[in-house]
Amino acid sequence: MTSHQSTQTMKPATAAKKLGVYLEATPAEFQEGVVSRTELNALQSDPPEWLQELRRNGPHPRPVVAAKLGISIAGLARGGITEPLTTEQIDALKRELPEWLQKERATQADVRKETARIKAKNDERAAKSDGPRS
């Protein structure tokens, strides 16, 4: 009995998300086709020039923009950023450091602190419950 393994494919939008690029900025042949798991792995391990260029200069999708600015995606929306940005635009925002960006970075820092505090508390609680029993 032979097993037939079907090739896993994904929509271009899914592949673009996994690659961290803005779909509309990818080549037409990428946008119009389907991407197999093998093709995705090849793109990740040996990115073609168009992918290197997109990753380097953008335009970048919102999750990448948020990460580069050190804020949340919701923080981007609160700051009025709804469109993809290029690396140059992101760098300009970092230099200008508008008030909304400062506020969002502070909010993100508070969220990280709170997350760390909760994790430490949960770890401590778990350690106590795993302790010696009589």
Side-chain angles (χ1 to χ4, degrees):
M1 184 170 163
T2 56
S3 65
H4 295 285
Q5 198 169 17
S6 64
T7 304
Q8 274 189 324
T9 60
M10 61 192 81
K11 294 178 182 176
T14 304
K17 187 174 183 178
K18 289 180 181 288
L19 292 169
V21 295
Y22 183 57
L23 177 63
E24 285 75 10
T26 62
E29 60 270 13
F30 181 86
Q31 293 180 39
E32 294 163 2
V34 293
V35 181
S36 71
R37 174 68 59 191
T38 306
E39 291 168 328
L40 179 69
N41 290 340
L43 287 169
Q44 289 174 323
S45 63
D46 187 22
E49 183 57 38
W50 66 263
L51 182 54
Q52 292 177 40
E53 180 67 20
L54 272 179
R55 286 178 168 169
R56 188 172 33 251
N57 298 316
H60 303 287
R62 288 182 307 146
V64 174
V65 173
K68 286 179 179 274
L69 290 174
I71 62 175
S72 67
I73 295 171
L76 274 181
R78 286 189 293 268
I81 307 294
T82 57
E83 298 296 317
L85 298 180
T86 63
T87 300
E88 190 177 307
Q89 291 169 312
I90 293 168
D91 291 344
L93 275 173
K94 287 178 176 178
R95 282 190 304 275
E96 294 164 9
L97 208 58
E99 188 177 325
W100 70 265
L101 182 54
Q102 293 175 42
K103 183 179 172 192
E104 291 301 332
R105 283 182 166 176
T107 299
Q108 193 68 13
D110 290 344
V111 168
R112 284 191 200 105
K113 283 181 202 166
E114 182 64 7
T115 301
R117 184 190 70 77
I118 291 169
K119 182 184 180 320
K121 186 176 180 179
N122 289 341
D123 289 350
E124 183 181 315
R125 190 177 296 145
K128 283 182 183 176
S129 67
D130 289 344
R133 297 186 181 177
S134 359

